[in-house]
């Protein structure tokens, strides 16, 4: 037990987390000693760490087989959890597999069997069918965002996967939505349910309605953004076509935005999130794919440009703001002749002032062709920009370091000059290309 606590302390230190919240403390204690657990907690409350800490504690360091399987609904969530496990520095190998990346890459990584395998149902089912690794030692099954992984589109694959896991001793299901029926094939007998969704007092979310005189609501959306000012937020649409209409309208007004939807290539989706995270783009225009499972910082607002079709969509969209102890606002954009769904309360309308907001400092994202595998650190990149780029600390934005590349936010006004100074320079003995990241 003392060893477990010490390991937990080391991991939290590596993640720069001072202390666990009450939900995490209870979940870790329950998951550690319970066969079947259902954890219900709002988006952004730290469910990932709540199941990863007891999972790491249960793994056998001597066993060179897959011991835990984490199933989830999206590529972004798979990538995010894989990165969290790696940042924990536990010593256990982890791999994420998902559609949208080459199968050859999966095969190469799975030659050295991970202790923790993370994946989307379709890709995991493919690997199971091909028998690329033994399933005999998989004792823990985690269904993250189970309300999505168990819905109709995934049911057949999920059924097939779970039926090939005869030695399961622990099942952990997590969600930010309650009231979802769990199919019998999951084998969840007499689970312990931890429900933190019911604690409504903890929410610091404000929901307000903005009434638009026009059916397409585009001019009202622009006026709303001007009213909000220089704050990061997400605009939710129901369809990819709607994103295109909003994008074309934003271009006319010079609004700083990027897009995110299932119709985009994985590489483009990742780069959109990088630009949103580092402040190059203030607004993310997205489908409900962005309502869960993406790694973004705290945002101040979300806009329901198109009304959500279900209460689950409404809940998950709203869950992107007012996370943990922060405040946030969800704006419901309603055409004056449009009926609100019953699950959206009829709040007092928000009057949008047409006074144009102050312009934010504009940022640009630079791409660097070197990363962790080249032994390059964030400190090395900062040093390059300070010494050879000649910039000061206020001009260096967020640095994101990947395995084979890096992304750096800098003020738009000096971006081209930095490319001229830094392109084809040496960084940790490697000659790197530096250029402006194209959309």
């Amino acid at each position: 037990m003392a060893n477990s606590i010490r390991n937990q302390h080391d991991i939290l230190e590596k993640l720069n987390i001072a202390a666990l919240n009450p939900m995490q403390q209870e979940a870790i204690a329950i998951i550690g000693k319970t066969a079947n657990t259902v954890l219900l907690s709002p988006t952004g409350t730290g469910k990932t760490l709540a199941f990863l800490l007891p999972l790491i504690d249960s793994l056998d360091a001597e066993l060179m087989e897959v011991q835990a399987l984490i199933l989830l609904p999206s590529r972004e969530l798979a990538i995010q959890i894989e990165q969290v496990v790696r940042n924990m520095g536990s010593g256990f190998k982890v791999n994420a597999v998902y559609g949208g990346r080459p199968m050859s890459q999966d095969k190469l990584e799975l030659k050295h069997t991970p202790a923790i395998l993370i994946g989307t149902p379709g890709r995991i089912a493919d690997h199971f069918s091909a028998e690329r690794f033994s399933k005999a030692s998989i004792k823990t099954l985690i269904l993250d965002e189970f309300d999505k992984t168990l819905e109709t589109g995934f049911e057949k694959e999920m059924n097939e996967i779970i039926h090939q896991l005869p030695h399961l001793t622990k099942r952990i299901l997590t969600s930010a939505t309650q009231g979802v029926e769990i199919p019998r094939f999951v084998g969840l007998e007499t689970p312990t349910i931890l429900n933190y969704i019911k604690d409504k007092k903890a929410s610091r979310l404000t929901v307000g309605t903005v009434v638009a005189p026009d059916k397409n609501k585009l001019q009202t959306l622009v006026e709303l953004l001007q009213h909000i000012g220089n704050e990061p937020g997400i605009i939710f649409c129901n369809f990819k076509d709607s994103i295109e209409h909003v994008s074309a309208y934003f271009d006319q007004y010079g609004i700083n935005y990027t897009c995110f939807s299932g119709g985009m290539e994985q590489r483009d989706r990742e780069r959109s999130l990088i630009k949103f995270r580092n402040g190059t783009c203030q607004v993310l225009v997205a489908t409900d794919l962005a309502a869960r499972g993406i790694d973004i910082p705290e945002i101040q607002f979300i806009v329901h440009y198109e009304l959500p079709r279900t209460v689950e969509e409404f809940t998950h969209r709203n869950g992107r703001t007012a996370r943990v102890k922060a405040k946030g606002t969800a704006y419901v954009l309603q055409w004056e002749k449009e009926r609100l769904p019953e699950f959206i309360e009829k709040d007092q309308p928000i009057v949008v002032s047409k006074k144009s907001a102050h312009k934010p400092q504009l940022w640009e994202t630079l791409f660097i062709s070197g990363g962790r595998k080249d032994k390059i650190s964030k400190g090395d990149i900062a040093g390059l920009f300070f010494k050879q780029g000649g910039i000061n600390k206020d001009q260096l934005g967020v640095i994101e370091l990947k395995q084979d590349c890096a992304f750096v936010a800098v003020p738009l006004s000096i971006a081209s000059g930095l490319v001229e100074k830094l392109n084809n320079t040496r960084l940790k003995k490697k000659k790197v290309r530096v250029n402006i990241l194209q959309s």
Side-chain angles (χ1 to χ4, degrees):
M1 184 67 179
N3 215 26
S4 169
I5 292 168
R6 190 166 62 250
N7 290 345
Q8 192 180 104
H9 180 267
D10 291 344
I11 288 171
L12 293 180
E13 213 169 56
K14 287 173 188 169
L15 297 174
N16 293 317
I17 294 172
L20 297 167
N21 63 39
M23 178 277 288
Q24 291 171 324
Q25 290 174 3
E26 185 183 9
I28 289 164
I30 294 294
I31 289 169
K33 62 185 180 185
T34 308
N36 296 316
T37 311
V38 176
L39 174 58
L40 305 173
S41 191
T43 302
T45 50
K47 293 189 292 296
T48 300
L49 198 58
F51 66 71
L52 283 180
L53 281 169
L55 171 62
I56 295 291
D57 198 40
S58 71
L59 298 176
D60 181 352
E62 304 297 318
L63 186 59
M64 299 294 109
E65 299 287 353
V66 180
Q67 299 177 55
L69 177 64
I70 303 175
L71 291 168
L72 27 70
S74 71
R75 307 166 188 175
E76 283 71 27
L77 190 52
I79 294 166
Q80 184 181 327
I81 293 179
E82 179 187 37
Q83 194 56 55
V84 172
V85 177
R86 288 188 171 154
N87 291 344
M88 290 169 86
S90 67
F92 289 102
K93 187 173 188 290
V94 59
N95 284 117
V97 295
Y98 44 85
R101 77 171 199 159
M103 183 64 83
S104 57
Q105 191 177 345
D106 284 3
K107 291 177 184 176
L108 191 64
E109 291 181 359
L110 292 174
K111 278 185 179 178
H112 303 284
T113 313
I116 304 170
L117 182 61
I118 304 167
T120 49
R123 186 55 67 98
I124 291 289
D126 289 344
H127 288 302
F128 271 30
S129 297
E131 298 186 348
R132 294 208 168 88
F133 46 80
S134 168
K135 310 175 198 83
S137 298
I138 300 177
K139 293 186 176 178
T140 301
L141 173 67
I142 298 171
L143 305 186
D144 198 19
E145 303 284 12
F146 74 83
D147 54 308
K148 289 294 280 183
T149 48
L150 293 173
E151 68 182 12
T152 310
F154 290 134
E155 192 171 19
K156 182 174 178 289
E157 290 157 338
M158 291 292 289
N159 198 339
E160 289 174 0
I161 291 167
I162 292 173
H163 272 97
Q164 294 180 65
L165 301 173
H167 304 299
L168 287 178
T169 57
K170 193 179 286 288
R171 294 167 178 80
I172 304 161
L173 278 64
T174 80
S175 181
T177 305
Q178 56 187 335
V180 178
E181 190 175 338
I182 299 168
R184 186 176 291 178
F185 66 75
V186 177
L188 200 73
E189 296 175 10
T190 59
T192 299
I193 298 172
L194 302 177
N195 189 351
Y196 280 78
I197 295 174
K198 59 192 175 189
D199 186 11
K200 298 292 183 187
K201 292 177 185 174
S203 177
R204 304 183 73 183
L205 175 72
T206 302
V207 180
T209 305
V210 178
V211 178
D214 298 314
K215 191 175 182 179
N216 70 12
K217 304 186 276 194
L218 287 169
Q219 185 57 37
T220 305
L221 177 61
V222 169
E223 290 169 5
L224 174 60
L225 291 181
Q226 291 172 339
H227 171 83
I228 293 167
N230 182 21
E231 301 286 357
I234 302 177
I235 296 165
F236 282 104
C237 302
N238 291 341
F239 308 102
K240 289 178 283 185
D241 288 352
S242 307
I243 290 178
E244 290 174 12
H245 293 315
V246 172
S247 299
Y249 204 76
F250 279 2
D251 287 339
Q252 296 174 42
Y253 284 84
I255 288 171
N256 204 4
Y257 74 94
T258 188
C259 301
F260 186 83
S261 76
M264 296 167 62
E265 293 291 329
Q266 182 66 24
R267 174 177 170 274
D268 296 330
R269 278 155 58 169
E270 288 176 14
R271 293 189 170 194
S272 280
L273 292 182
I274 287 166
K275 287 184 171 185
F276 184 58
R277 279 195 291 261
N278 69 21
T280 296
C281 296
Q282 179 197 344
V283 174
L284 186 69
V285 185
T287 58
D288 282 290
L289 186 66
R292 59 171 104 202
I294 60 170
D295 182 18
I296 56 172
E298 186 61 54
I299 60 170
Q300 302 302 311
F301 72 94
I302 65 108
V303 178
H304 300 278
Y305 170 68
E306 290 179 311
L307 299 180
R309 292 157 291 194
T310 66
V311 66
E312 287 79 19
E313 285 179 4
F314 187 60
T315 300
H316 283 290
R317 288 179 179 187
N318 291 346
R320 297 305 337 178
T321 188
R323 302 173 75 178
V324 194
K325 295 180 181 176
K327 293 180 180 178
T329 305
Y331 297 94
V332 178
L333 204 52
Q334 177 192 15
W335 177 40
E336 58 187 7
K337 295 181 182 178
E338 191 173 23
R339 285 186 61 186
L340 289 180
E342 289 181 4
F343 52 80
I344 300 179
E345 292 181 18
K346 313 296 187 288
D347 294 300
Q348 284 284 0
I350 292 173
V351 178
V352 174
S353 70
K354 294 188 180 181
K355 189 176 94 175
S356 186
H358 66 282
K359 288 188 178 179
Q361 180 182 15
L362 296 177
W363 292 81
E364 185 62 274
T365 301
L366 300 186
F367 167 86
I368 301 175
S369 65
R372 287 194 193 94
K373 69 177 176 57
D374 306 300
K375 305 287 192 272
I376 291 170
S377 69
K378 287 185 180 181
D380 296 327
I381 293 169
L384 176 72
F385 277 73
F386 293 147
K387 291 172 188 171
Q388 289 175 251
I391 68 173
N392 60 49
K393 287 183 180 179
D394 292 336
Q395 293 172 307
L396 184 67
V398 175
I399 299 171
E400 284 208 27
L401 186 62
K402 305 291 184 183
Q403 200 63 16
D404 56 358
C405 62
F407 303 90
V408 184
V410 296
L412 178 64
S413 57
I414 62 171
S416 296
L418 283 170
V419 169
E420 285 182 27
K421 286 181 183 178
L422 302 177
N423 191 31
N424 292 321
T425 54
R426 291 206 169 269
L427 184 57
K428 267 290 183 71
K429 299 182 180 178
K430 178 181 170 68
K431 193 175 184 181
V432 294
R433 285 179 290 107
V434 178
N435 52 49
I436 292 170
L437 179 65
Q438 301 302 312
S439 297

